[in-house]
Amino acid sequence: MTPRRLPDGFLLGCATAAHQVEGGIDNDWSRWVADHPEAINGGGDAVVAIDHYRRYREDLEQLGSMHHNAHRFSIEWARVEPEPGHFDQDALAHYADVARTCRRNGMEPVVTLQHFTLPLWLRDSGGFTAPDAPAQFARYVAGCVEALGDAVTWWVTVNEPTVVAVLGHLEGSWPPGERSLRHTFAALRGLLRMHAAGAQAISTVSARHGRPAQVSIAHHERRFVPRDPSSPVDRAVAKLPDFLFNRWFLRSCIAGRVLGPVGHGERVPGLAGSLSYLGLNHYTSEAVSLDIGAPGMLFAHHEAMPGMPLSSTGWAIDAGALRRAITDLFDEFHLPIVITENGVADDHDELRPAFLRDHLGAVVDTIADGIDVRGYLYWTAWDNFEWAEGYTQRFGLFSVDRETQERIAKPSAHLFSEICRTREVPS
Ligand code: IFM
């Protein structure tokens, strides 16, 4: 079979997030782990993580030498603004150097401004639901864009807003450990307003300096398929989570309003037109059926898509679902798409080579269908701190010896490097 080719200029690299790799961060997550060690699978914390804050130069050089031409990282708000309105210039200079180091190594930086974590002062004043969170976020974002904007075009305001709202406020497995639909909706409204305020700050500062800027959230799309497609009941119970989790945030951005049932159609300043591309994080598909005993889950039972191989997280590996996600999102929103995350947890690097071939193949197919897909960022470069999963889920192209911090390329790191070099996806 002929290999499939990715277009010239297509962004190809890895995605990371500060708290998961840097070490030395004091934020809501580090306190949550210290107070609830039992909440982390296998124990562990991100006190040292993989020491990337100190090792970023060698780490990025290694990715560049493996022909990556893009790299996604996040700025840690708690480092940059340890007290409200007080900016740590060393921290800002650090992240500006990370962006420039990406460029020096041939990689386009894609920069996330908020990837799940919050400074303690914002946590203590209500987190995502604090009335002034959007204004606080806009000030922080403006500071970051001033400091990094000469090296950065691609911005992500907020990573996976629905995930952080559901896990922290509905399921209670992440900080702040709440279990309330009312609080989940309040967090979603806050995140929507934060995104709008952040997007406005990016546009204002970039325009003042005459710099181009591309702005999106990183939207986590989980494909929900009725367990029995011929059952009207399964179809109905799959629809609500699909709307709330996969479409509510994006449709609100397009409408410029807080759509129901999360809000009452209130207009949000800066929200309409806030997306210039669509960042897509995609991992898996799930079958959904009726469960009358699960009101907290909107009466839906979720299971990994039957008949698919499973990752070590138990997620179905379904490259077709990535193709359908890209197609549906493009058909509805008509925005260029960057795959800001796609990856597999795989203890022994047995599933990952086929995963990469199949998922990148699905991306090539969508491009052949005429869809404007601009990039693919594999989650993730190095095995890292996977939130409530601790260090038990290994998504990395590199393993890390956490005693010596040695990075060891897995076979799939070499396969990915070859795809980056040739732009060809083997069949
Ligand atoms: O580790 C996370 C990342 O922070 C956000 N998207 C999903 C990844 C894997 O679970």
Side-chain angles (χ1 to χ4, degrees):
M1 288 248 289
T2 31
R4 295 154 293 176
R5 220 185 133 70
L6 291 159
D8 292 339
F10 186 84
L11 302 176
L12 210 43
C14 284
T16 62
H19 190 84
Q20 297 179 262
V21 291
E22 285 185 352
I25 300 174
D26 191 16
N27 60 17
D28 63 334
W29 256 93
S30 56
R31 298 295 175 98
W32 168 261
V33 174
D35 294 345
H36 305 85
E38 73 291 347
I40 307 304
N41 192 359
D45 56 41
V47 170
V48 176
I50 62 158
D51 197 26
H52 178 67
Y53 198 75
R54 294 193 313 122
R55 294 169 191 259
Y56 70 97
R57 287 200 184 92
E58 303 94 271
D59 283 342
L60 295 174
E61 200 177 310
Q62 182 154 39
L63 300 183
S65 75
M66 295 184 91
H67 311 286
H68 297 202
N69 72 351
H71 183 69
R72 177 176 171 221
F73 66 92
S74 76
I75 300 179
E76 183 61 36
W77 190 353
R79 276 193 202 280
V80 163
E81 200 179 352
E83 301 294 335
H86 167 76
F87 282 84
D88 181 326
Q89 296 305 327
D90 291 344
L92 274 175
H94 168 91
Y95 288 112
D97 194 50
V98 175
R100 288 192 198 107
T101 305
C102 285
R103 287 213 174 278
R104 265 200 309 280
N105 286 287
M107 296 183 288
E108 176 79 34
V110 177
V111 178
T112 313
L113 293 148
Q114 200 270 335
H115 194 118
F116 296 153
T117 56
L118 290 174
L120 294 171
W121 53 265
L122 186 55
R123 175 200 71 173
D124 295 341
S125 67
F128 301 122
T129 60
D132 59 353
Q136 306 274 20
F137 188 57
R139 181 182 57 205
Y140 152 74
V141 169
C144 293
V145 180
E146 283 289 353
L148 278 76
D150 60 344
V152 178
T153 298
W154 295 89
W155 299 98
V156 172
T157 52
V158 174
N159 182 72
E160 301 183 350
T162 45
V163 170
V164 74
V166 167
L167 296 184
H169 300 267
L170 188 65
E171 290 186 11
S173 50
W174 285 15
E178 294 176 340
R179 288 168 189 265
S180 147
L181 188 60
R182 194 166 61 81
H183 289 184
T184 306
F185 281 6
L188 284 171
R189 288 192 296 272
L191 282 153
L192 190 67
R193 291 179 186 281
M194 285 171 65
H195 158 71
Q200 253 184 341
I202 296 170
S203 305
T204 308
V205 176
S206 305
R208 189 160 66 234
H209 293 285
R211 297 168 181 157
Q214 297 280 358
V215 182
S216 182
I217 62 164
H219 159 66
H220 188 121
E221 172 104 356
R222 228 175 160 103
R223 302 295 287 181
F224 297 126
V225 180
R227 176 80 168 85
D228 173 2
S230 70
S231 150
V233 177
D234 285 3
R235 287 207 301 272
V237 286
K239 255 204 178 108
L240 187 56
D242 184 49
F243 170 68
L244 283 175
F245 194 83
N246 290 328
R247 288 295 172 274
W248 171 83
F249 201 99
L250 295 174
R251 287 186 188 158
S252 294
C253 287
I254 301 300
R257 297 171 181 277
V258 192
L259 297 182
V262 180
H264 301 287
E266 314 81 294
R267 184 168 287 287
V268 177
L271 188 57
S274 60
L275 302 173
S276 62
Y277 75 102
L278 213 160
L280 168 62
N281 293 1
H282 183 268
Y283 288 86
T284 190
S285 56
E286 289 177 2
V288 182
S289 52
L290 177 69
D291 180 354
I292 45 168
M297 292 299 290
L298 308 170
F299 301 103
H301 171 72
H302 293 250
E303 64 194 283
M305 199 62 188
M308 301 283 168
L310 299 182
S311 74
S312 49
T313 328
W315 294 352
I317 299 176
D318 185 355
L322 174 62
R323 183 172 181 178
R324 288 189 289 282
I326 295 172
T327 305
D328 289 355
L329 289 165
F330 189 73
D331 284 351
E332 178 166 355
F333 299 106
H334 311 292
L335 289 166
I337 292 175
V338 175
I339 315 300
T340 35
E341 286 180 29
N342 175 238
V344 63
D346 175 18
D347 286 348
H348 304 294
D349 205 38
E350 290 158 345
L351 303 166
R352 196 170 290 105
F355 179 97
L356 285 169
R357 284 194 292 267
D358 294 347
H359 285 75
L360 278 160
V363 172
V364 174
D365 291 341
T366 60
I367 296 172
D369 291 341
I371 298 180
D372 186 3
V373 187
R374 303 277 178 92
Y376 174 96
L377 301 167
Y378 176 78
W379 183 269
T380 182
W382 310 280
D383 289 342
N384 66 11
F385 177 74
E386 280 292 334
W387 310 108
E389 295 303 329
Y391 292 92
T392 62
Q393 300 304 318
R394 303 193 172 116
F395 285 86
L397 294 178
F398 291 79
S399 61
V400 177
D401 177 329
R402 296 195 40 250
E403 291 287 307
T404 62
Q405 294 294 352
E406 187 191 355
R407 279 67 165 138
I408 303 142
K410 301 177 189 178
S412 54
H414 296 294
L415 170 68
F416 190 64
S417 167
E418 196 52 13
I419 295 173
C420 294
R421 187 181 71 79
T422 59
R423 315 253 109 199
E424 285 180 353
V425 183
S427 297

